[in-house]
Amino acid sequence: MCFTAVNMSQDTTYRFSFGPWNISEGADPFGPEVRPLFPHESKFALYRPLGFEGVQFHDDDVVPELETLTPDQILKKTSEVRTMLENQGLTPEFVAPRLWFPAQTVDGAYTSNSAIDRAYAWDRTQKCIDVARALNCKAIVLWLAREGSYIRESKNARVAYQRLLETINQILQYDSDIEIWIEPKPNEPTDQAYVPTIGHAVAMAYASNDPKRVKGLIETAHALLAGLDASDEMAFALAHNKLASVHLNDQNGLKYDQDKNFGGANLRGAFNQVRVLEEAGFGSKGEFVGLDVKAMRTQKGHGVTAHLTNSRSLFLHLVDKVRSWDRQAEAQMIEARDYEALELAILKHLMGVK
Ligand code: XUL
Ligand code: MN
């Protein structure tokens, strides 16, 4: 186990990423699209001008309908996308198997009670790794969306954890370079998920056959849905050298997964996430600051992006706030154990009040 030292004086220039699904047409479970379709491949041209250089992918964002294609067709389409990325100066950050859509995964993918459906999930995962490899992308993300249950009695949880670990080991064996980044989420679409927090993900990493290649991606909203502080979750992963990426956003209480703008519900919570990332030197090894934010349904336009640029600029303002925070005064207040004063000082600093 290796704990990273606090680095108070880093001056990382952050690189930002998002996934094409973050530019959406506004459909939600209760209503259809409210904005004209913005074609998937036109999105790449938006990244750089908006200040982003990393692209997060689902496997079928790279190769639509990859289920119906031959391996050669998959590789051909992937190399077209690779060229488009290169032309735009973009880096593919990760590819995630979209295992929550297909009919075969209604009861889970790797933890399904059906052996046939588990075999489907493995086959799809191999395709996803092949796509990542052909894109020259070093990581796949496992958002274990349906690895859980709608009623807990329907699955044997101990067996489910074994199956997840077996899958992780199979992936590590299938490709000797690829990293696995687990994105924990406690619920939705299932009632109860098997890897609800980063603690669970880190435990899976250490239990795997190559712990160095198994890491985590922490989404703010997912931590909050688990009733946890997102900055503490990030700190835990960083303390184990296991924070590969983040999905910064926000969440207003315990309800559906909202993917609100970063800092939109809790500015102080956002400040603390930035502080933890800064202090650990996150980004200095090339890690991206990923956003997973959803445009408001009320927003008009063709290819709406304000939620992305606003979240990015809020992050950068908070970097300034972290860097200009008076560490000496902080140390004195901590020494005096005057946490009332510390709290007021933080709030005034955030408000820009002397
Ligand atoms: C789900 C979620 C996903 C993953 C990528 O809540 O956050 O968008 O980030 O599939
Ligand atoms: Mn996410």
Side-chain angles (χ1 to χ4, degrees):
M1 200 182 297
C2 169
F3 290 95
T4 326
V6 171
N7 171 6
M8 296 291 196
S9 62
Q10 71 131 351
D11 57 355
T12 304
T13 308
Y14 289 98
R15 300 197 299 163
F16 296 87
S17 67
F18 69 86
W21 65 89
N22 289 121
I23 299 177
S24 71
E25 284 76 44
D28 71 13
F30 307 98
E33 288 75 10
V34 289
R35 294 182 283 268
L37 178 75
F38 193 80
H40 195 71
E41 285 162 0
S42 322
K43 291 175 186 171
F44 296 138
L46 298 181
Y47 274 73
R48 279 286 186 167
L50 294 175
F52 293 80
E53 56 185 284
V55 186
Q56 311 165 1
F57 284 107
H58 298 124
D59 50 5
D60 56 4
D61 293 327
V62 185
V63 184
E65 296 175 25
L66 82 168
E67 302 285 25
T68 60
L69 304 180
T70 64
D72 280 351
Q73 289 171 317
I74 292 176
L75 285 183
K76 184 169 175 292
K77 177 67 193 163
T78 306
S79 83
E80 283 167 24
V81 174
R82 185 174 166 165
T83 306
M84 280 188 241
L85 295 177
E86 283 166 5
N87 288 343
Q88 300 287 349
L90 298 174
T91 304
E93 187 191 7
F94 65 73
V95 186
R98 200 196 291 270
L99 281 166
W100 51 97
F101 260 44
Q104 294 92 328
T105 61
V106 285
D107 195 24
Y110 313 127
T111 66
S112 170
N113 284 327
S114 152
I116 295 171
D117 293 347
R118 290 198 303 278
Y120 164 83
W122 173 238
D123 185 63
R124 174 81 182 238
T125 303
Q126 286 171 283
K127 287 193 168 84
C128 175
I129 299 166
D130 295 343
V131 167
R133 191 188 283 148
L135 267 191
N136 197 22
C137 171
K138 65 166 190 161
I140 63 162
V141 160
L142 296 183
W143 169 43
L144 300 165
R146 296 193 190 276
E147 313 300 2
S149 59
Y150 301 106
I151 57 162
R152 202 17 111 219
E153 298 83 0
S154 65
K155 286 183 186 171
N156 180 323
R158 192 173 40 76
V159 170
Y161 278 115
Q162 280 164 358
R163 286 183 172 149
L164 287 172
L165 188 57
E166 277 162 23
T167 305
I168 288 168
N169 286 334
Q170 267 177 296
I171 296 171
L172 294 170
Q173 195 179 10
Y174 181 74
D175 186 305
S176 57
D177 294 320
I178 204 91
E179 290 192 359
I180 301 169
W181 301 349
I182 299 173
E183 180 178 349
K185 184 176 179 183
N187 60 280
E188 198 196 46
T190 56
D191 175 39
Q192 301 281 350
Y194 286 127
V195 184
T197 71
I198 197 65
H200 293 75
V202 168
M204 301 291 283
Y206 284 133
S208 77
N209 289 342
D210 193 355
K212 281 194 308 303
R213 289 200 285 137
V214 186
K215 300 175 182 166
L217 179 159
I218 295 178
E219 172 163 326
T220 316
H222 297 179
L224 295 170
L225 285 170
L228 298 169
D229 181 272
S231 71
D232 280 351
E233 287 285 272
M234 289 172 191
F236 179 82
L238 287 162
H240 291 266
N241 271 334
K242 293 225 167 287
L243 190 64
S245 189
V246 289
H247 269 175
L248 298 184
N249 58 20
D250 215 343
Q251 172 75 26
N252 190 13
L254 296 182
K255 47 187 80 155
Y256 65 95
D257 182 11
Q258 294 185 298
D259 296 342
K260 289 168 84 73
N261 290 338
F262 184 52
N266 184 345
L267 190 60
R268 183 175 172 186
F271 169 78
N272 282 321
Q273 289 165 68
V274 177
R275 189 171 59 92
V276 160
L277 295 173
E278 265 276 297
E279 287 178 1
F282 181 84
S284 58
K285 293 192 289 272
E287 304 96 324
F288 281 98
V289 174
L291 299 177
D292 198 359
V293 288
K294 194 180 285 168
M296 294 179 209
R297 199 160 187 265
T298 43
Q299 202 70 7
K300 293 188 183 65
H302 187 234
V304 293
T305 53
H307 58 305
L308 292 160
T309 46
N310 293 351
S311 294
R312 178 185 176 277
S313 91
L314 202 277
F315 179 92
L316 291 171
H317 282 306
L318 288 175
V319 170
D320 286 345
K321 284 286 172 191
V322 170
R323 291 179 184 174
S324 59
W325 170 235
D326 186 342
R327 295 283 178 174
Q328 247 184 329
E330 178 193 63
Q332 282 162 7
M333 288 180 274
I334 291 172
E335 178 65 25
R337 206 179 271 176
D338 191 352
Y339 300 154
E340 293 286 0
L342 180 58
E343 174 162 84
L344 185 63
I346 286 277
L347 293 175
K348 286 171 87 172
H349 184 62
L350 286 175
M351 288 192 297
V353 174
K354 289 278 171 224

